[in-house]
């Protein structure tokens, strides 16, 4: 039996699994990820060593649960959360905490870069608070001493690969935005124009290429894997799309974890406003990550005081309740939005509340609001590609909920297909490892062999008129409330007219009327 160690470093958890050559998970260990250190300034950081501790703990759990299988591991592949930067010095030590995908402190710096850099460069318009170039420029301005010591920039999974092998490397998918910025346009590149040295870029490998072997001298249980090849892999979205079998022309994918990622896969590098076009090594994806998803459901459950038990069971219980004839509209922008708006100042809203609305109405509104955002991204991508997606491959934790799957199918008007693997990121990492080992001639061949379908949800024609009407109102609400969101955020910043409300509230005196 062939066994590989597949790992998925997510936004809120770390999962490791021993996967065999049929794609079956023989053993799995999951642990909660380190909480990011967030504050009102837009800061969101995690110490890189916290991820190394997670990898060590998860693999120790696997080695204890299935020692014979762990000793049979032939290769390692780690996929991981992206849009997160690890800053290393010349000796490979982290200079500071990593900036996570939620960090918005570079927003003003990004605006300045867009204003002064070459507007004709294809990456100029994409520079925002979440862009690695803006993060690097922010570091140069705000922490010049750390910037002066910067020798290499890695993604979290690259950092773990480095700790395992001693080699600093990444892949062109995970580093796509920075590589595009570094590409010359009319003899000029944005990296140099922004004062960022190209030397901070690590070596670039294909996801199925080997970074190196597990080096000696590491703590247990890695001493049992010395010399085993570690493959570069890629970000968690790319790996999950492979694990869903959606890495093929004309397919759409929707990964719903802490946040959602949606896109359409095509042969040509089409472009659409607000969407990312990324070379996925022979195919191109058009779409990208949002700031909303299953975490929005968790927020709702906490708001209703129902966050003490299983999230899936709690949302199922809410959805089984009575629903009022007049639905609610929910704008899901609780922490700004990435694709397709790239606006950290967008905020959420519940529209249409009346006295009869209850928990079930709120639950449906949240699921439908996220699905409306899915439809916006899907339609933009399809229009740019000039074709309709044949189906949406749906994965992640939310894919276990059949109500949400059907809502997505009905609102988007496309079949939603749920793969059998409950952890497509892990399966995708395993497919990378088996392909790198030469067990399959290509990723496409490995997908055909190892990915199976569990359920298919067809759009219900009877619901189309209602959902088309709801979607039209959703778009109207977005347009009307976006300026108010921005003004509200600006007014609440330090020195703004609303900045003191929270302080005044804590000191307020309650008057009792007899």
């Amino acid at each position: 039996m062939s066994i590989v160690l597949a790992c998925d470093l997510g936004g809120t958890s770390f999962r490791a699994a021993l996967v065999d050559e049929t794609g079956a998970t023989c053993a799995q260990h999951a642990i909660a990820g380190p909480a990011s250190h967030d504050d009102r300034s837009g800061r969101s950081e995690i110490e890189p060593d916290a991820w190394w501790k997670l990898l060590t703990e998860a693999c120790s759990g696997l080695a204890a649960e299935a020692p014979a299988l762990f000793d049979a591991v032939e290769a390692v592949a780690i996929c991981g959360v992206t849009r997160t930067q690890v800053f290393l010095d010349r000796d490979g030590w982290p200079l500071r905490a990593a900036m996570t995908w939620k960090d918005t402190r570079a927003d003003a710096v990004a605006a300045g870069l867009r204003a002064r850099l070459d507007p004709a460069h294809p990456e100029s318009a994409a520079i925002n608070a979440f862009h690695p170039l803006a993060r690097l420029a922010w570091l140069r301005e705000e922490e010049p001493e750390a910037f002066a010591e910067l020798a290499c920039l890695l993604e979290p999974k690259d950092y773990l690969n480095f700790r395992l092998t001693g080699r600093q490397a990444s892949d062109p998918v995970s580093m796509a935005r920075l590589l595009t910025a570094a590409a010359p346009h009319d003899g000029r590149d944005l990296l140099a124009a922004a004062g960022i040295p190209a030397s901070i870029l690590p070596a670039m490998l294909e996801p199925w290429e080997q970074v190196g072997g597990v080096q000696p001298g590491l703590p247990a249980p890695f001493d049992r894997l010395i010399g085993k090849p570690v493959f570069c892999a890629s970000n968690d979205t790319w790996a999950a799309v492979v694990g869903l079998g959606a890495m093929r022309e004309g397919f759409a994918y929707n990964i719903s974890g802490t946040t959602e990622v949606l896109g359409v896969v095509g042969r040509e590098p089409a472009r659409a406003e607000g969407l990312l076009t990324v070379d996925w090594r022979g195919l191109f994806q058009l779409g990208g990550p949002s700031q909303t998803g299953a975490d929005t459901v968790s927020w709702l459950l906490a708001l209703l005081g129902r966050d003490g038990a299983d999230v899936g069971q709690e949302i199922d219980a809410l959805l089984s309740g009575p629903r009022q004839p007049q639905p609610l509209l929910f704008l899901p922008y609780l922490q700004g939005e990435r694709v397709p708006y790239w606006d950290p100042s967008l905020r959420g809203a519940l529209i249409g509340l009346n006295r009869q609305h209850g928990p079930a109405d709120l639950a449906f509104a949240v699921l439908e609001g996220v699905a409306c955002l899915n439809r916006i991204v899907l339609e933009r991508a399809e229009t740019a590609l000039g074709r309709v997606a044949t189906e949406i491959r749906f994965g992640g934790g939310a894919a276990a909920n059949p109500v949400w799957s059907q809502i997505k199918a009905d609102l988007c008007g496309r079949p939603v297909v749920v793969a059998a693997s409950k952890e497509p990121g892990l399966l995708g990492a395993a497919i990378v490892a088996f392909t790198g080992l030469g067990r399959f001639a290509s990723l496409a061949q490995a997908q055909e062999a190892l990915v199976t379908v569990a359920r298919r949800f067809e759009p219900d024609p009877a619901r189309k008129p209602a959902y088309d009407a709801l979607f039209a109102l959703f778009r109207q609400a977005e347009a009307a409330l976006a300026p108010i969101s921005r003004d509200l955020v600006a007014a609440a910043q330090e020195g703004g007219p609303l900045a003191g409300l929270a302080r005044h509230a804590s000191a307020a005196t309650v008057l009792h009327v007899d």
Side-chain angles (χ1 to χ4, degrees):
M1 179 188 295
S2 293
I3 297 291
V4 297
L5 171 61
C7 302
D8 185 356
L9 193 168
T12 57
S13 66
F14 189 96
R15 296 176 293 281
L18 302 176
V19 183
D20 70 18
E21 70 273 12
T22 70
T25 297
C26 302
Q28 182 174 334
H29 195 87
I31 50 180
S36 59
H37 301 288
D38 302 350
D39 62 29
R40 293 180 61 187
S41 73
R43 168 178 176 255
S44 182
E45 298 179 340
I46 292 176
E47 292 294 336
D49 282 351
W51 290 317
W52 174 249
K53 291 176 182 176
L54 288 182
L55 175 65
T56 304
E57 182 181 344
C59 290
S60 297
L62 281 178
E65 295 164 19
L69 289 174
F70 192 86
D71 288 337
V73 165
E74 298 180 33
V76 180
I78 306 171
C79 65
V81 64
T82 189
R83 291 274 175 166
T84 297
Q85 290 78 37
V86 180
F87 307 92
L88 302 182
D89 67 14
R90 292 170 182 80
D91 296 320
W93 294 102
L95 284 163
R96 65 183 311 285
M99 297 177 74
T100 83
W101 52 271
K102 294 186 292 183
D103 200 297
T104 61
R105 286 174 293 177
D107 189 38
V109 173
L113 287 174
R114 290 195 304 271
R116 67 182 180 84
L117 295 180
D118 180 8
H121 194 286
E123 191 68 7
S124 291
I127 297 174
N128 50 58
F130 311 103
H131 198 287
L133 184 62
R135 302 270 180 87
L136 287 164
W138 179 91
L139 185 71
R140 187 189 60 194
E141 291 186 11
E142 298 296 326
E143 300 178 12
E145 292 183 1
F147 182 81
E149 296 296 319
L150 179 63
C152 187
L153 186 76
L154 295 178
E155 294 263 320
K157 62 93 178 172
D158 301 323
Y159 177 70
L160 296 182
N161 288 344
F162 167 56
R163 294 290 297 266
L164 287 173
T165 68
R167 184 184 182 190
Q168 296 170 354
S170 190
D171 67 284
V173 179
S174 300
M175 288 282 181
R177 301 274 57 85
L178 208 51
L179 291 177
T180 305
H185 180 77
D186 292 336
R188 293 171 291 179
D189 71 83
L190 301 185
L191 211 61
I196 310 298
S199 59
I200 67 167
L201 292 172
M204 290 295 144
L205 302 174
E206 297 293 348
W208 49 87
E209 289 185 324
Q210 186 181 149
V211 179
V214 176
Q215 60 184 335
L218 297 178
F222 303 122
D223 55 341
R224 294 155 67 173
L225 300 178
I226 293 174
K228 300 298 182 183
V230 177
F231 292 102
C232 188
S234 190
N235 63 55
D236 49 359
T237 297
W238 185 92
V241 172
V242 171
L244 289 173
M247 191 69 75
R248 60 185 89 181
E249 183 181 10
F251 275 49
Y253 68 88
N254 181 197
I255 314 299
S256 186
T258 304
T259 60
E260 295 221 335
V261 194
L262 188 140
V264 181
V265 179
R267 288 281 175 195
E268 302 298 328
R271 297 189 179 276
E273 182 183 359
L275 306 190
L276 299 176
T277 302
V278 184
D279 181 351
W280 271 7
R281 321 319 292 152
L283 294 167
F284 292 86
Q285 88 85 40
L286 185 57
S290 75
Q291 295 281 80
T292 186
D295 183 63
T296 313
V297 173
S298 298
W299 163 82
L300 175 65
L301 294 177
L303 196 67
L304 297 176
R306 304 184 67 145
D307 57 339
D310 181 81
V311 171
Q313 293 178 0
E314 289 296 328
I315 195 67
D316 285 344
L318 291 180
L319 294 171
S320 66
R323 190 178 189 187
Q324 297 302 312
Q326 182 238 294
L328 292 172
L329 274 176
F330 176 66
L331 303 186
Y333 311 121
L334 299 180
Q335 47 189 356
E337 189 50 280
R338 290 184 285 178
V339 168
Y341 302 122
W342 301 103
D343 187 347
S345 294
L346 284 181
R347 291 295 179 264
L350 270 169
I351 304 164
L353 275 170
N354 66 43
R355 191 67 177 79
Q356 286 72 45
H357 284 130
D361 301 292
L362 294 173
F364 274 103
V366 166
L367 301 194
E368 288 165 349
V370 174
C372 282
L373 180 61
N374 295 156
R375 178 168 167 174
I376 293 169
V377 176
L378 180 67
E379 289 183 350
R380 288 193 186 192
E382 290 178 335
T383 299
L385 290 165
R387 62 176 295 177
V388 172
T390 55
E391 62 185 52
I392 301 172
R393 287 291 177 103
F394 186 29
N401 188 303
V403 176
W404 206 350
S405 297
Q406 189 62 56
I407 286 173
K408 286 175 180 282
D410 293 337
L411 246 164
C412 293
R414 307 287 180 269
V416 168
V417 178
V418 178
S421 175
K422 294 181 179 179
E423 300 287 355
L426 288 176
L427 180 56
I431 287 173
V432 166
F434 282 121
T435 302
L437 287 169
R439 304 298 161 76
F440 299 97
S442 65
L443 286 178
Q445 187 185 90
Q447 285 180 103
E448 288 291 341
L450 302 183
V451 179
T452 56
V453 169
R455 296 190 66 179
R456 185 179 179 90
F457 298 84
E458 296 289 343
D460 186 346
R463 294 194 182 101
K464 178 175 170 51
Y467 271 140
D468 283 349
L470 187 75
F471 181 69
L473 292 171
F474 181 92
R475 298 308 307 273
Q476 290 181 40
E478 278 189 317
L481 295 182
I484 298 174
S485 288
R486 298 184 188 108
D487 289 346
L488 186 63
V489 169
Q493 290 175 347
E494 192 68 33
L498 300 179
L501 281 181
R503 294 192 299 271
H504 296 329
S506 62
T509 301
V510 178
L511 298 178
H512 296 279
V513 179
D514 294 329

